[in-house]
Amino acid sequence: MSKINVEGSEISIIAIDDKDYISLTDMVRNIENGLALIEKWLRNKNTIEFLGIWEEMYNPDFNSLEFEGIKNEAGLNRFVLSVKQWVEKTNSIGIVAKAGRYGGTYAHKDIAFEFASWVSPYFKLYLIKEFERLKEEEQKKLGWDIKRNLAKINYRIHTDAIKNNLIPEKLQKEKINFIYANEADILNMALFGMTAKEWRDENPNLKGNIRDYADISQLVCLSNLENLNAVFINEGMKQSDRLEKLNSIAIEQMKILSEAESVKKLK
């Protein structure tokens, strides 16, 4: 669940089948008799027609026959329709009523924006603005997570190469850990010019490790170095030779990455 703040109203957003559903309940929570507005909106003939068109576009199980009956009744004084009735009669997916702690009426973003426009065009514009800002932040975070996970995957390839080629059988655990740390520092030295301990000594007030503070270009380069070091280990190259070669590669790659327009955009 995510939340956005629109003109003083905190509005919840949930994912249903990987689609964004926005809380209509939250939109009207700060309005006097606001909850009644949702059912009032549902009674509107234009609303029913809009919902029916949306469902026919995106919902293969939509009950069109029931929808026609509801549409014919819409607009009459005696016409009453709740969200629950709409869902049960038409098998709709665009609006859902959820119970529990984060309960309320939620609607697919297309429908939620339509409802917001009915409540207030001013409110709708700010809702769209905040929603788009949230999506941009999520995309940035996703891109960062992908790069972090890529580094982790390559690190597994790297440590497997160490295990298969550098660690003797029946070696004590402490020494195995030392070799892993030592090999990790080969990469740290090649790219950052210091070991993990040296970085911690220079930055006692920072949490995490040297790689947590790497920029995007450095993370991409680190992923490449991990793969290359695994290849060099498998080829039997001496550690000193590997360090020298990896450092040379890191310098060249960082020159390219720091100048690449695509990387600048990611930053």
Side-chain angles (χ1 to χ4, degrees):
M1 172 180 287
S2 302
K3 289 182 180 290
I4 55 176
N5 192 293
V6 181
E7 295 296 284
S9 296
E10 191 174 69
I11 298 173
S12 303
I13 301 172
I14 61 174
I16 300 177
D17 295 329
D18 295 325
K19 301 292 189 298
D20 290 309
Y21 279 66
I22 303 173
S23 174
L24 304 189
T25 304
D26 288 347
M27 287 189 202
V28 297
R29 196 181 298 279
N30 294 333
I31 301 175
E32 186 177 355
N33 298 320
L35 295 179
L37 288 177
I38 298 175
E39 290 196 7
K40 186 176 180 181
W41 175 66
L42 274 175
R43 292 178 59 188
N44 186 287
K45 194 174 186 68
N46 289 336
T47 298
I48 296 300
E49 289 180 345
F50 175 83
L51 293 177
I53 293 170
W54 189 94
E55 293 289 345
E56 287 173 345
M57 288 178 64
Y58 299 108
N59 181 8
D61 298 320
F62 183 58
N63 191 328
S64 297
L65 187 62
E66 283 287 347
F67 162 66
E68 289 299 327
I70 293 173
K71 185 171 70 170
N72 291 335
E73 291 286 320
L76 298 176
N77 290 337
R78 66 176 180 271
F79 178 70
V80 177
L81 182 68
S82 68
V83 172
K84 184 178 180 181
Q85 289 171 329
W86 167 255
V87 173
E88 290 178 348
K89 289 181 178 181
T90 65
N91 196 35
S92 71
I93 60 173
I95 301 180
V96 297
K98 295 185 68 67
R101 181 180 177 186
Y102 300 107
T105 299
Y106 289 80
H108 184 279
K109 63 181 179 64
D110 297 344
I111 298 170
F113 293 153
E114 184 72 10
F115 174 70
S117 183
W118 183 81
V119 173
S120 163
Y122 176 86
F123 183 82
K124 175 188 176 180
L125 290 173
Y126 276 92
L127 174 65
I128 293 173
K129 179 181 178 182
E130 287 303 309
F131 179 82
E132 290 178 344
R133 181 191 58 76
L134 174 67
K135 294 294 106 179
E136 288 175 2
E137 289 181 355
E138 288 179 350
Q139 285 300 315
K140 289 178 182 178
K141 185 177 185 299
L142 176 62
W144 181 259
D145 288 343
I146 289 172
K147 292 172 181 63
R148 289 287 292 171
N149 288 332
L150 177 63
K152 289 178 181 178
I153 291 169
N154 283 333
Y155 187 70
R156 174 60 186 273
I157 296 172
H158 182 227
T159 53
D160 282 351
I162 296 169
K163 178 180 178 182
N164 295 331
N165 295 275
L166 297 185
I167 302 175
E169 292 184 7
K170 297 182 180 179
L171 192 64
Q172 294 180 357
K173 185 176 180 180
E174 303 81 55
K175 292 186 178 180
I176 293 175
N177 290 338
F178 173 78
I179 292 175
Y180 277 129
N182 183 256
E183 278 301 320
D185 270 338
I186 292 296
L187 300 178
N188 290 335
M189 286 295 297
L191 179 59
F192 303 111
M194 65 178 67
T195 66
K197 184 179 183 304
E198 287 171 339
W199 182 87
R200 285 194 299 271
D201 290 343
E202 288 187 12
N203 302 277
N205 296 323
L206 294 180
K207 295 181 180 180
N209 57 58
I210 188 172
R211 300 183 185 199
D212 291 324
Y213 295 88
D215 61 25
I216 292 174
S217 297
Q218 289 172 321
L219 285 174
V220 172
C221 184
L222 180 62
S223 295
N224 294 335
L225 294 182
E226 285 174 339
N227 276 331
L228 289 169
N229 196 36
V231 172
F232 297 156
I233 290 171
N234 287 327
E235 291 177 348
M237 188 181 294
K238 290 193 304 182
Q239 191 179 77
S240 58
D241 292 338
R242 282 189 281 111
L243 176 56
E244 185 177 2
K245 192 170 184 65
L246 289 169
N247 180 241
S248 177
I249 292 170
I251 292 170
E252 289 302 315
Q253 288 200 2
M254 286 303 298
K255 285 180 181 178
I256 296 170
L257 288 168
S258 63
E259 295 171 0
E261 190 65 29
S262 60
V263 174
K264 289 180 181 178
K265 288 179 180 178
L266 284 173
K267 290 179 181 177

